[in-house]
Amino acid sequence: MNKHIVRSLFQDALYQVFDNLGFRILGVLFLLPVLLTFLVGFREDGMWIAHYWHWSYESLLASLSSGASGDPALFNGIRDRLLDQMIAVIVDWIADKAGFVFGIAAISFFVPQMLEKGAADVVFSKPVSRLALFLSRYIAGLIFVGVLSSLLVGGMFLGFFVTSGYRDTGLLWSILTLIYGFAIFHAISCTIGVFTKSTIGAILLTVIFMPVNCGLHKSWELIAVSRHVAAEERERKPDLPAKEPPGMLLSALNTALTAYHVIAPKSRDATRIAQGLRRDIEDFTPEFADEDLGLSVAEPPAGFAREPRSSFNKDGLVWIAAHPDGGGEARWTLKRDALSALGSRTAYVKRLKKELAVDSTRADISRRYTDRFEWKEKRGDEERLRRKWVFQIGDTVLTLDYDAESAWGARDESEHSAQVFLAGVQIKDELERQAQEASYDRYFAWSGPWQFNAWFSVGTTLMFVLAMLGLGWWKLSRTDF
Amino acid sequence: MKSPETTLRVHGLTKVYGRGLFGAPGFRALDSLSLEVGRGQVFGLLGPNGAGKTTLVKILLGLVRKTEGEAQLFGSSVGDASVRRRVGYLPEGHRLPQYLTGLQMLELFGQMCGRDRAFLRARIPTLLDMVGMRDAAQRKIREYSKGMTQRIGLAQAMIHEPELVILDEPTDGVDPVGRAAVRQIVQNMKDAGVTVFINSHLLQEVEMICDRVVIMAKGRILREGSIAELTPRTGRYHFELASTPPQLARVLEGLGANLELLPDGFELQLSDLELDQCVDRLRAAGLSIRGVQARRLNLEQAFIQLVKKDAQ
């Protein structure tokens, strides 16, 4: 096959894609969120429209909730959370799910139309192998989704960067993972197209395959995770009595599901891989995390550095900043106490109220009920601004303490820094933690046992795609027109 | 032994469609067919529906797999895709890619046949003029009429300057002016040394264009030869006379059979001996003979006769 033939097949694929009505409709639909990202900006200070109209998040929430204002800490990091949510909804759901179905519907005719009487005579009488012609139709589908996902993801990336000042290069991985996910279903659609020579058949069977495949994998994942968790537990507690082996039917079902999982394309993993790649690119490691409590601190308070000798499990983690005008320092301390040592959280709070002679206000941290104290304290000639937050996780009471020179602590930038820091304190709900611990997502990684291995997933999926295309080619090479 | 001048050669070619389970016999579309077409010929393939003409053409183009026998183009097996670079094909009832313009289609198909852009840039305008499609070349094929589709289809069959052009019903849907143009194109190709293989139901056209013709039925060749060989004399003669006197029938009395008087003379069924006697009688009666022409069957008549005979 010479270069002219290769070029002609590629050009043909491009012409076919750009002339496609489904492609144009999806192009317009995908342009809408992209335009939105250029028009509406989410910045630290609020929402902007067309760089002209501005609303702070506080005023937006107040107008949405009939004048009620929320906890100021709620608005810290809100921009990133909003944008993350937007990306998740548009890329991981709309493009990945609805976009795939619509895309398959739009291009499933590529192969059957080529095989129609009259069309096949023209195309297959050319000095081009049937395999090359078949693959050119497959590649046309990949171009279809490649252009659209580049438009959507690349456009949103640019829009977020230009209008919101948000730059998440990991988002660009979604272009590849969207193509990867679509490549699986398109291979199936092409092969069904060869066998049935029917567009409707190709669409229907592919669209039916999507949820069936997803459901079977999900069932297998549940079994694999529960087995893995049980194995881990037995490793921790060797004295646990051995469970009775499952019956023959269950065992056969399990074997069938495992065989299916190994052979069939793991389309569900595409989103996991995209999210994993995004996390890797973001290189997000929190400033501090305690797995047992499910507590994490995203970043240190701005301008503060962690005291290296401080320990969360002893006297508490300490972050210190020197006073900008010299002399004195400010510090944040995060400390834990056993509930049993304090009696109860309410008893502790009552004691604090009495000791400090101030009332507490409610200022929840990470949706967890939190008492907040604020008072002034004389230390020599200096007046100090003191704040304390008290909250509870399980049988542990946590105290976050702020101590700064009064005037410095009350400055706008200091207040802002404090709010950002507090918004970064995250507590995972117990149920959420349990669910995550027992979820496939928790174990899914680039390294690890084959059941949860991303390389295994990608490798076997690509083999499935190749096998599908091979099957399509085999049938095509035996077809008389 | 194949001749170096042979463009197409099939030997013992058999195609059986839809062989059933456990070796049940299927439909035999071609039955040990053997045929050779020389370079530079215009070759006509005729036959009733189901004769196997299209199957033969499709095997030659790799569209259908043969069951048995040998099929070669330019001395190479038809299974070799590269040999198709030397072949152009206009299928019957073809459906060209609707998402392309005529121009795009010619460029792409030209490249698919291994031609570079420089060659195609020079070739396409000439070809568009030849088929009368220059003005419509920028329009999408889906907007073309049937005649236009046929003409652009003819252009795509010739885009890469093939040495063999296979035309399946080339004038289907084309108006009389267009048909004359197609005939001229075929003549031009013949003059350029291109072998043209025509499969058509329009026997008059085949008679006008083809050097050699094969008549097929039930997957076999019934007759093969030049137009003259396929259209035998009927034994009937047309006499053109300077004048036709009223006593002409009396002059010819007892001679031949089926006399038909015409304004310029007459037609009569005669044996070779009777032909001389007829001339003698006319001369003896003082009638001036302007011309004598032996009547032949036309291709359509010969075809129908042959096919009917085969059916019996």
Side-chain angles (χ1 to χ4, degrees), chain A residues 6 54 109 175 179 279 283 345 375 392 402 435 439 445 454 479:
Chain A
V6 174
H54 170 249
F109 73 89
I175 297 174
I179 296 172
R279 276 198 297 273
D283 194 23
R345 189 186 63 79
W375 73 101
Q392 183 180 345
Y402 179 59
S439 79
T479 303

Side-chain angles (χ1 to χ4, degrees), chain A residues 180-445:
Chain A
Y180 169 77
F182 193 81
I184 300 167
F185 298 116
H186 185 42
I188 295 165
S189 156
C190 284
T191 300
I192 294 171
V194 173
F195 275 87
T196 63
K197 294 185 184 173
S198 153
T199 303
I200 299 292
I203 295 172
L204 273 180
L205 290 173
T206 309
V207 170
I208 289 170
F209 175 81
M210 287 178 177
V212 170
N213 179 56
C214 182
L216 288 171
H217 281 306
K218 201 166 184 174
S219 308
W220 180 86
E221 285 166 10
L222 287 172
I223 294 171
V225 169
S226 65
R227 284 185 153 197
H228 193 75
V229 169
E232 279 183 339
E233 202 174 341
R234 271 199 302 279
E235 227 169 73
R236 281 199 306 270
K237 302 172 188 167
D239 303 336
L240 275 178
K243 278 186 181 173
E244 270 186 38
M248 215 167 73
L249 188 68
L250 274 179
S251 185
L253 191 67
N254 185 32
T255 308
L257 269 178
T258 304
Y260 183 84
H261 178 78
V262 171
I263 294 166
K266 290 138 204 72
S267 50
R268 277 168 59 79
D269 291 347
T271 312
R272 291 186 179 114
I273 290 169
Q275 287 164 350
L277 288 170
R278 280 175 58 191
R279 276 198 297 273
D280 285 349
I281 286 283
E282 283 164 13
D283 194 23
F284 177 75
T285 42
E287 161 74 358
F288 164 75
D290 186 290
E291 287 293 324
D292 291 335
L293 291 174
L295 173 74
S296 65
V297 177
E299 40 188 78
F304 285 66
R306 194 148 120 193
E307 166 58 51
R309 282 165 300 177
S310 65
S311 161
F312 179 61
N313 291 319
K314 288 181 185 167
D315 300 324
L317 274 181
V318 178
W319 290 273
I320 296 174
H323 193 293
D325 303 330
E329 59 180 29
R331 63 168 58 205
W332 281 91
T333 309
L334 177 63
K335 186 167 167 279
R336 71 184 292 175
D337 288 290
L339 188 65
S340 54
L342 299 174
S344 71
R345 189 186 63 79
T346 41
Y348 177 53
V349 167
K350 269 186 190 168
R351 276 209 302 280
L352 278 175
K353 280 180 186 171
K354 209 170 167 185
E355 273 173 30
L356 302 171
V358 285
D359 254 347
S360 67
T361 54
R362 184 174 166 185
D364 294 356
I365 289 178
S366 187
R367 300 192 303 278
R368 183 68 54 126
Y369 190 98
T370 305
D371 286 290
R372 177 178 179 273
F373 295 90
E374 181 172 328
W375 73 101
K376 299 277 173 56
E377 186 180 286
K378 272 280 186 196
R379 203 175 294 162
D381 294 341
E382 200 179 64
E383 186 184 60
R384 306 288 294 183
L385 172 65
R386 299 293 307 275
R387 285 175 183 151
K388 198 184 281 283
W389 290 261
V390 180
F391 56 99
Q392 183 180 345
I393 303 175
D395 52 5
T396 304
V397 173
L398 291 121
T399 313
L400 191 58
D401 194 273
Y402 179 59
D403 178 3
E405 190 269 320
S406 237
W408 177 26
R411 280 182 194 173
D412 281 350
E413 57 265 42
S414 303
E415 288 290 358
H416 181 72
S417 154
Q419 285 181 358
V420 172
F421 173 62
L422 286 168
V425 177
Q426 292 294 317
I427 305 156
K428 271 186 201 151
D429 188 70
E430 187 61 25
L431 285 173
E432 194 185 335
R433 277 168 63 207
Q434 280 174 5
Q436 204 184 40
E437 267 171 26
S439 79
Y440 189 80
D441 293 3
R442 188 197 159 198
Y443 295 105
F444 189 76

Side-chain angles (χ1 to χ4, degrees), chain B residues 47-296:
Chain B
N49 293 332
K53 309 182 297 286
T54 302
T55 301
L56 171 62
V57 167
K58 288 189 172 184
I59 288 177
L60 293 173
L61 290 160
L63 294 167
V64 168
R65 290 164 304 148
K66 63 186 186 328
T67 307
E68 276 172 30
E70 204 183 326
Q72 289 182 336
L73 288 174
F74 306 102
S76 301
S77 165
V78 292
D80 176 9
S82 65
V83 80
R84 295 202 289 272
R85 280 188 200 177
R86 300 165 73 180
V87 183
Y89 177 44
L90 173 69
E92 182 190 9
H94 59 78
R95 188 177 158 81
L96 300 169
Q98 304 291 296
Y99 51 89
L100 298 174
T101 65
L103 188 64
Q104 287 169 343
M105 188 268 294
L106 291 178
E107 280 172 353
L108 289 184
F109 283 1
Q111 288 182 61
M112 276 189 201
C113 294
R115 292 297 192 176
D116 62 30
R117 282 175 167 176
F119 171 88
L120 293 169
R121 268 198 291 271
R123 172 86 172 148
I124 288 173
T126 319
L127 210 51
L128 286 171
D129 282 340
M130 200 189 285
V131 296
M133 286 293 288
R134 189 185 266 261
D135 294 341
Q138 301 283 0
R139 281 162 57 190
K140 294 271 185 194
I141 290 171
R142 59 173 165 254
E143 296 167 10
Y144 287 176
S145 67
K146 191 176 178 192
M148 290 164 92
T149 309
Q150 194 68 5
R151 279 187 278 167
I152 203 78
L154 185 60
Q156 66 81 29
M158 298 188 295
I159 184 66
H160 53 300
E161 279 191 336
E163 294 165 60
L164 166 65
V165 176
I166 300 175
L167 305 174
D168 204 344
E169 301 294 351
T171 51
D172 188 21
V174 179
D175 59 37
V177 178
R179 263 186 240 166
V182 171
R183 282 198 298 272
Q184 187 55 51
I185 289 168
V186 172
Q187 185 58 49
N188 292 346
M189 284 195 278
K190 185 190 171 188
D191 294 345
V194 176
T195 308
V196 184
F197 198 92
I198 297 178
N199 183 2
S200 175
H201 283 111
L202 295 175
L203 302 187
Q204 270 183 325
E205 272 183 18
V206 171
E207 202 170 351
M208 288 166 82
I209 298 173
C210 294
D211 302 322
R212 284 185 69 216
V213 171
V214 153
I215 298 176
M216 288 176 67
K218 297 174 188 166
R220 287 175 287 113
I221 291 177
L222 296 182
R223 281 288 298 276
E224 181 186 352
S226 65
I227 296 291
E229 287 165 348
L230 291 175
T231 51
R233 289 182 181 185
T234 56
R236 203 168 168 78
Y237 292 87
H238 175 242
F239 284 79
E240 191 185 341
L241 305 176
S243 60
T244 48
Q247 74 278 17
L248 182 61
R250 218 165 349 115
V251 172
L252 300 171
E253 204 171 348
L255 201 62
N258 299 329
L259 173 68
E260 187 184 351
L261 294 173
L262 301 168
D264 65 339
F266 64 92
E267 270 194 28
L268 189 61
Q269 191 84 26
L270 295 166
S271 67
D272 290 348
L273 183 67
E274 286 173 327
L275 177 62
D276 290 338
Q277 291 173 351
C278 183
V279 171
D280 290 345
R281 280 201 200 178
L282 289 170
R283 293 298 302 133
L287 294 169
S288 175
I289 304 169
R290 291 275 187 268
V292 181
Q293 195 182 14
R295 286 294 189 204
R296 289 175 172 279

